Amino acid sequence: MILLPGVLLIGDFVALSLTTTVLAVAHLIVHKMEDRSMRSVVNVYGKRPMTVWILSQGIEVEIPFARLAAGDLLVVGAGQMIPADGEIVEGAASIDQRLLTGESQPAEKAVGEPVLAATVVLAGRIVVKVERTGESTLAARIGDILGRAAAYKQIAEARSTAIGDR
């Protein structure tokens, strides 16, 4: 920003317009990249399947995700994302939970261990007793916090720009 008044004092208006354009384009690119990356992170935590499989009277039944409730026995196989927080009651699996925990290696989970929404079963098949669904899952709460942080940052930047313009 100190560059612009200096170029203006020299009287080189071509350099001034070129510098202003480059700075504006760079600022625009940075904002687009920040926005895109924040939206992709928030979307990762907000992903939900359309349908899920539950055990009902010993039979696997496909139901809409919206009907999934605490206490249901959710069936999750290899390659599927776990859509709810809960505890494994049957089976074992290798689970990729790096989005939530940052662990570089998949976690091996068995009966009695907790699992979190937005994690992916890499190998195995598990039955999970659902404890939290929808907006009450840890992943949804993280997504909400990230969304509010992004909104707060945008508001703060807008205020600082307004103050600077004055």
Side-chain angles (χ1 to χ4, degrees):
M1 287 305 184
I2 296 172
L3 178 66
L4 295 179
V7 173
L8 187 58
L9 285 174
I10 294 172
D12 191 351
F13 295 107
V14 173
L16 175 65
S17 62
L18 182 61
T19 304
T20 304
T21 303
V22 169
L23 289 174
V25 169
H27 189 67
L28 180 67
I29 290 171
V30 167
H31 277 292
K32 279 190 174 187
M33 289 176 62
E34 285 177 349
D35 186 49
R36 186 179 303 150
S37 64
M38 184 57 71
R39 269 189 282 143
S40 67
V41 169
V42 171
N43 287 340
V44 164
Y45 290 113
K47 282 185 182 175
R48 294 186 183 105
M50 297 298 288
T51 61
V52 294
W53 290 88
I54 63 167
L55 274 180
S56 178
Q57 300 173 357
I59 300 172
E60 288 187 25
V61 179
E62 188 175 19
I63 64 168
F65 173 77
R67 285 191 31 213
L68 186 65
D72 286 344
L73 296 177
L74 176 67
V75 180
V76 187
Q80 294 179 320
M81 181 172 52
I82 300 172
D85 294 348
E87 182 179 316
I88 298 175
V89 294
E90 182 182 317
S94 178
I95 299 176
D96 179 3
Q97 47 189 29
R98 71 182 136 182
L99 286 174
L100 295 177
T101 64
E103 296 176 53
S104 61
Q105 297 294 319
E108 301 299 324
K109 301 275 187 161
V111 174
E113 294 187 86
V115 291
L116 301 171
T119 58
V120 178
V121 176
L122 298 176
R125 181 177 178 276
I126 54 176
V127 177
V128 177
K129 183 173 183 180
V130 175
E131 294 172 358
R132 289 180 300 278
T133 65
E135 300 304 315
S136 64
T137 63
L138 179 63
R141 289 185 288 176
I142 290 172
D144 183 48
I145 290 168
L146 289 174
R148 282 189 276 136
Y152 175 77
K153 183 178 179 185
Q154 289 173 349
I155 290 168
E157 286 178 355
R159 285 182 184 163
S160 65
T161 302
I163 290 170
D165 288 344
R166 286 186 203 148

